[in-house]
Amino acid sequence: MTSPAPSLRENRLARETSPYLLQHRHNPVDWWPWGPEALAEAKRLNRPILLSVGYAACHWCHVMAHESFEDEATAAVMNELFVNIKVDREERPDIDHIYMSALHLLGEQGGWPLTMFLTPDGQPVWGGTYFPKRSRFGRAAFVDVLREIARLFSEEPAKIEQNRAALMERLAAAARPQGRVVIGEAELDQAAARLAEGFDPVHGGLGGAPKFPQASLFEALWRGGRRRRDSGLIDVVAHTLGRICQGGIYDHLGGGFARYSVDERWLVPHFEKMLYDNAQLLDLVALAAAETKNPLFGLRARETVAWLTREMTTPDGAFCASLDADSEGEEGKFYVWSFDEIEHVLGRDDALFFAAHYDVSREGNFEGHNILNRLRGDLQDEATEARLAALRAKLLSVRASRVRPGLDDKVLADWNGLMIAALTHAGLLLGEPEWIAMARRAFDFVAAAMTRGDRLGHSWRDGRLLFPGLASDHAAMIRAALALHEATGERPYLDRALAWQAAFDRHHAHQDGGYYLTADDAEGLVVRPFVTHDDATPNPNGLAAQNLVRLATLTGDDRWRDAADRLFDGLLPHAASNVYGHLSILNALDLRLRAAELVVVGDDTGDLTAAALRQPFLDHIVLRARAAEDLPDLHPARAAFASLSVPAVLVCAGGRCSLPVTDADALPAAIESGAR
């Protein structure tokens, strides 16, 4: 028996801008968006709250919606027994964090959709993720769960209170600081070595399945390789990135990376494409292209930016959030091929040629279909690659006529910040000035449309801004501003970073170091989240620490370095007890300990500045000083101005500077020998 067709009437979600919430506007469920009105209604009726959190590209969110939320009978039970609240986790990661943390403390596996049951004032009691419509595999049917939870609230409130009190106590304890520890380069080296031991020597990535493109982990190993001059650590990351770039997790026709691979080989993706994954991977493949000279990485970077331009850029120049995994109700249908389809488009000879390189067969490599991949080999000779590129273009043109996956076109400040910085870094490393121009356009949109005074909002769509923003928005957009300032030398980017940092400190600072996720004047929640661990994106505290280190160099104001050190004092105890979960803060510590300032002295607009900007962004900060007065009073590079008659670069670290470098080709050697 199939579920009844969704009701044509609209619920309250019809007034929202989130594409995910709008997907549910015709549900017969009497949904509320999160807000004071929903909580007030729960208190007025003295009913428990059913909180459902998901996102537009979430496959199992769609499954549960179709099975239960579109079903009139299930909706009737939900409406009778609960106040039902629907949340887009990408719009409200603060809410998602609170209740996902509660689920973990209950000993349950996390994931989305997140289904939580709350007291009428929003405190978590119990929950889970996907609940089937009918009992199966030992799991209770969703309606049975609903009725039992409602019965406990009504008939055994003491059990509810006991569970609630224990959860709230543990949530509060998780936010308390744990004392002070010392972590230095030796400890970072030990951590990198331990992390590398867990990598799959054949397929790359951490062993087993599923496999995620864990950018902060890859960055930590790359930093370790540079710090220790250990090519083995860099090879581990380069091998992993190579497998990702050749696997089915990469879209070989359209460009861009999927969320993760369900198998250990990187063959079968979970097909949604997220802006944040592609931003972080663009950073890394551009870095790998510049340092390893492997043409595969540069090719994937350019293809990914082409996808970003073609499919993910709004008319205003900002970047959309995600592409769904599903089309026509089937996960991955847009991306897979049969041999016959390929033969019909390319003809027999070209189809056989293409199939030999992209693992295509009549029986298929995925549920009777073919996921295009090149895991069997490396890039071929120039003529072969040119022929394959022409065949890919034909298939892409045909694929464009298929029913497309849903596009979540809301603009998130934090994810845009990650992509703006990545485009800037990659544009410098690979000599693509248009990428920096793209980054500037996106930055200008966020700075104009998503900023009120000196404060950022979080989500923008259809002319409406969700305000105030989160710690992640400020940290990522400050990072973007600093990247553009270094790339262009233009002062307004630095001024904007300073203004946003001041607002960040004013509204998010935690008394023990670090930053609350939500602002001090944001809508009240049962707990104000103080999050230190990384998620699919780097923790905002880790980004903030890097920002503060760069601000200290770029402004010459040591107060920013002192602020970074206070942040490290507050957060390194968390990192010491859970290295794997706090790699972004350890990556920031590496920058704090080893950052070299590349000081371009004199009025240079040519090769020297370009050479400085081409150095890996992980451990270099470019500072431009046309005159001695542009440097702090005690900066060691000031003395060089008295003896220099031509522009030069000084490599400064640890309070000392190298001899002036006037030949751009000599800069890498000076970095190795002069100040390291």
Side-chain angles (χ1 to χ4, degrees):
M1 178 179 176
T2 59
S3 299
S7 169
L8 294 180
R9 65 178 180 270
E10 291 186 335
N11 56 42
R12 294 178 188 85
L13 300 184
R15 298 190 291 271
E16 298 300 304
T17 60
S18 158
Y20 175 67
L21 297 185
L22 289 173
Q23 286 173 4
H24 295 270
R25 68 186 183 275
H26 293 302
N27 291 170
V29 178
D30 188 18
W31 289 118
W32 292 77
W34 182 276
E37 297 85 359
L39 298 176
E41 180 71 0
K43 291 179 182 177
R44 184 182 71 82
L45 297 175
N46 194 30
R47 283 186 192 172
I49 293 168
L50 189 159
L51 175 68
S52 176
V53 182
Y55 58 99
C58 167
H59 172 68
W60 285 101
C61 300
H62 298 323
V63 173
M64 190 168 179
H66 177 65
E67 290 182 346
S68 295
F69 303 151
E70 295 174 6
D71 180 67
E72 294 281 355
T74 305
V77 176
M78 295 171 66
N79 295 338
E80 176 188 356
L81 300 178
F82 295 89
V83 170
N84 302 289
I85 300 178
K86 176 62 76 174
V87 167
D88 181 342
R89 72 174 293 262
E90 295 166 0
E91 277 199 337
R92 296 303 304 265
D94 50 342
I95 295 171
D96 178 66
H97 171 75
I98 290 171
Y99 297 107
M100 187 65 76
S101 297
L103 185 66
H104 290 159
L105 289 172
L106 287 165
E108 299 286 340
Q109 290 289 327
W112 295 274
L114 172 62
T115 308
M116 289 297 294
F117 299 96
L118 321 177
T119 64
D121 57 357
Q123 298 191 25
V125 174
W126 185 77
T129 54
Y130 162 76
F131 288 94
K133 183 179 179 181
R134 297 178 180 84
S135 298
R136 59 184 180 188
F137 308 124
R139 300 195 67 187
F142 185 46
V143 167
D144 294 339
V145 172
L146 297 176
R147 290 190 169 123
E148 178 59 17
I149 293 292
R151 186 194 67 78
L152 286 173
F153 268 95
S154 175
E155 300 176 13
E156 300 183 57
K159 287 188 177 180
I160 295 294
E161 172 57 26
Q162 181 181 4
N163 210 37
R164 181 208 63 78
L167 262 179
M168 294 304 294
E169 181 178 350
R170 291 164 75 184
L171 281 171
R176 288 196 292 266
Q178 305 175 26
R180 186 168 184 169
V181 299
V182 176
I183 298 178
E185 287 194 33
E187 288 77 17
L188 291 177
D189 287 346
Q190 293 166 10
R194 288 197 304 271
L195 292 168
E197 290 173 357
F199 270 64
D200 181 338
V202 176
H203 304 298
L206 292 179
K211 282 186 173 175
F212 290 82
Q214 296 160 299
S216 291
L217 171 60
F218 302 162
E219 180 183 328
L221 291 187
W222 200 284
R223 286 179 177 276
R226 292 183 61 82
R227 187 172 56 247
R228 299 172 57 180
R229 293 178 169 82
D230 182 349
S231 61
L233 288 177
I234 290 177
D235 289 344
V236 166
V237 182
H239 176 65
T240 297
L241 289 175
R243 298 296 290 179
I244 291 172
C245 286
Q246 295 290 64
I249 190 175
Y250 182 75
D251 180 357
H252 288 265
L253 296 186
F257 299 88
R259 173 78 274 268
Y260 64 89
S261 171
V262 303
D263 66 296
E264 66 178 7
R265 298 177 55 222
W266 306 101
L267 171 62
V268 182
H270 199 14
F271 286 90
E272 72 262 37
K273 293 182 184 177
M274 314 301 294
L275 182 66
Y276 59 77
D277 285 319
N278 284 277
Q280 294 174 92
L281 285 168
L282 177 60
D283 250 346
L284 288 168
V285 296
L287 184 69
E291 294 211 47
T292 70
K293 310 306 180 186
N294 184 337
L296 171 66
F297 298 128
L299 177 63
R300 294 293 181 260
R302 290 178 172 89
E303 290 169 346
T304 296
V305 175
W307 162 75
L308 182 73
T309 304
R310 184 180 63 250
E311 300 186 32
M312 299 295 287
T313 302
T314 73
D316 299 302
F319 305 118
C320 301
S322 66
L323 277 172
D324 205 333
D326 297 14
S327 58
E328 301 182 78
E330 183 177 330
E331 183 183 2
K333 184 174 183 179
F334 182 74
Y335 297 101
V336 299
W337 295 81
S338 70
F339 180 88
D340 289 343
E341 287 175 314
I342 291 175
E343 186 176 34
H344 178 73
V345 175
L346 301 182
R348 182 165 182 77
D349 289 346
D350 280 344
L352 289 171
F353 176 79
F354 185 86
H357 290 279
Y358 282 93
D359 188 27
V360 175
S361 64
R362 293 196 181 277
E363 60 272 18
N365 57 27
F366 170 68
E367 298 180 354
H369 301 284
N370 291 282
I371 297 172
L372 303 182
N373 72 91
R374 297 189 68 177
L375 289 169
R376 294 178 178 176
D378 298 324
L379 294 182
Q380 301 298 304
D381 60 89
E382 187 173 335
T384 298
E385 291 301 329
R387 183 179 175 188
L388 289 171
L391 299 179
R392 289 198 307 270
K394 289 183 179 180
L395 291 173
L396 179 63
S397 177
V398 170
R399 194 180 78 174
S401 65
R402 293 178 176 178
V403 176
R404 299 188 61 80
L407 172 68
D408 187 336
D409 61 355
K410 66 176 175 288
V411 178
L412 298 173
D414 46 5
W415 297 5
N416 269 257
L418 294 176
M419 183 55 81
I420 291 165
L423 284 167
T424 304
H425 295 151
L428 293 172
L429 288 170
L430 300 183
E432 297 284 355
E434 178 53 33
W435 298 0
I436 300 172
M438 285 177 64
R440 290 167 73 116
R441 288 193 293 272
F443 184 93
D444 289 346
F445 175 81
V446 176
M450 299 183 68
T451 303
R452 294 180 182 172
D454 60 357
R455 300 179 67 185
L456 283 156
H458 173 60
S459 174
W460 182 96
R461 185 174 186 273
D462 197 24
R464 291 166 60 184
L465 177 66
L466 185 64
F467 185 89
L470 303 167
S472 54
D473 299 307
H474 286 83
M477 284 303 300
I478 292 166
R479 180 173 183 259
L482 294 177
L484 283 168
H485 171 67
E486 286 191 58
T488 66
E490 295 176 13
R491 176 74 195 197
Y493 290 117
L494 180 58
D495 290 340
R496 178 68 79 168
L498 289 167
W500 281 336
Q501 184 65 47
F504 192 23
D505 289 333
R506 191 165 65 249
H507 292 285
H508 292 263
H510 189 281
Q511 64 271 17
D512 295 318
Y515 297 92
Y516 286 106
L517 183 59
T518 53
D520 55 2
D521 58 351
E523 175 187 296
L525 300 171
V526 294
V527 176
R528 190 179 181 198
F530 178 57
V531 188
T532 64
H533 59 78
D534 298 321
D535 201 340
T537 55
N539 185 270
N541 286 286
L543 294 180
Q546 288 204 35
N547 293 339
L548 292 168
V549 172
R550 291 185 182 276
L551 279 171
T553 293
L554 295 170
T555 65
D557 189 341
D558 283 339
R559 289 178 298 177
W560 296 119
R561 189 169 287 107
D562 294 340
D565 290 345
R566 288 194 299 272
L567 190 152
F568 287 124
D569 287 343
L571 296 184
L572 287 180
H574 298 278
S577 63
N578 179 8
V579 169
Y580 182 77
H582 293 82
L583 290 170
S584 68
I585 193 67
L586 296 181
N587 290 336
L589 179 62
D590 175 73
L591 180 72
R592 170 70 177 90
L593 296 174
R594 298 191 312 109
E597 300 175 29
L598 305 183
V599 186
V600 183
V601 297
D603 190 10
D604 176 75
T605 58
D607 292 344
L608 280 172
T609 301
L613 291 170
R614 282 196 302 271
Q615 301 310 305
F617 56 88
L618 294 184
D619 45 20
H620 297 96
I621 303 171
V622 177
L623 181 64
R624 305 170 196 232
R626 289 183 172 84
E629 292 72 25
D630 293 334
L631 294 169
D633 290 343
L634 300 179
H635 197 288
R638 267 182 167 256
F641 280 90
S643 57
L644 278 175
S645 58
V646 295
V649 176
L650 304 179
V651 182
C652 302
R656 67 187 190 279
C657 295
S658 68
L659 293 172
V661 178
T662 57
D663 179 358
D665 293 337
L667 183 58
I671 291 172
E672 284 296 314
S673 62
R676 307 303 292 274

